[in-house]
Amino acid sequence: MKTVIVCVSVSHGNTRRVADSIAGVLGARVVSPEDADPAELAAADLVGFGSGVFHGRLHRRLTGFAGGLPGGTGGRAFVFATSGLPEFRPAPFARPLVRLLEGKGFAVEGAFSCRAFDTWAPFRLVGGIRRNRPGPDDLAAARAFAERLRDGRPGRA
């Protein structure tokens, strides 16, 4: 199965560690939006899209890239995120990107998120929050999510 993961990891490498854990299970190549080739995504069996969360949203480099994909790009996809703060379940971090990708023809089969070290403005004053995250349990959960995708058992983690 050919898999590509488009990842934006800008602050502490949190999202990249999650992307690498997922990629290890799926045999995927991890690329930045700037290095992603839309033709390669269209030819892939599965495409992942992930970033950290900034002000309750996925990074604009990722959403801008996804928004620029041609319609009908479609195929199987998944979304993942890392955040210092917990997700508000009625409005998941991934929902806007999932809707955007579905509008491009992707069948989004699952979403994953976990806590991560965060030094956003107010948290910087106390040295950050979630210092040891994502930790071994988070990365194991990311691998389990990837195994479900690989085995055709999509879902939310």
Side-chain angles (χ1 to χ4, degrees):
M1 173 171 67
K2 181 175 178 170
T3 305
V4 179
I5 298 173
V6 182
C7 174
V8 175
S9 185
V10 297
S11 297
H12 304 288
N14 300 321
T15 308
R16 181 60 193 235
R17 289 200 330 258
V18 171
D20 289 342
S21 292
I22 292 171
V25 171
L26 299 175
R29 189 166 85 92
V30 180
V31 297
S32 69
E34 296 78 16
D35 294 331
D37 177 3
E40 180 183 20
L41 302 186
D45 299 305
L46 180 64
V47 181
F49 296 87
S51 82
V53 174
F54 301 85
H55 305 288
R57 295 186 173 103
L58 297 179
H59 199 281
R60 67 177 182 251
R61 283 176 39 217
L62 183 67
T63 57
F65 171 77
L69 291 172
T73 300
R76 295 174 57 219
F78 64 93
V79 177
F80 63 99
T82 59
S83 175
L85 296 174
E87 187 170 55
F88 182 59
R89 287 291 172 191
F93 300 135
R95 182 180 292 158
L97 181 57
V98 167
R99 288 181 176 158
L100 175 63
L101 292 171
E102 288 173 342
K104 299 290 183 176
F106 284 95
V108 180
E109 297 189 352
F112 175 83
S113 68
C114 69
R115 301 291 65 78
F117 182 51
D118 191 345
T119 55
W120 178 63
F123 306 133
R124 184 172 292 127
L125 298 173
V126 295
I129 60 171
R130 316 280 189 263
R131 181 169 299 282
N132 296 314
R133 305 279 301 270
D137 291 343
D138 300 305
L139 300 178
R143 287 189 298 274
F145 171 75
E147 289 168 0
R148 287 193 301 278
L149 289 169
R150 180 194 63 205
D151 298 342
R153 299 177 291 125
R156 184 162 182 80

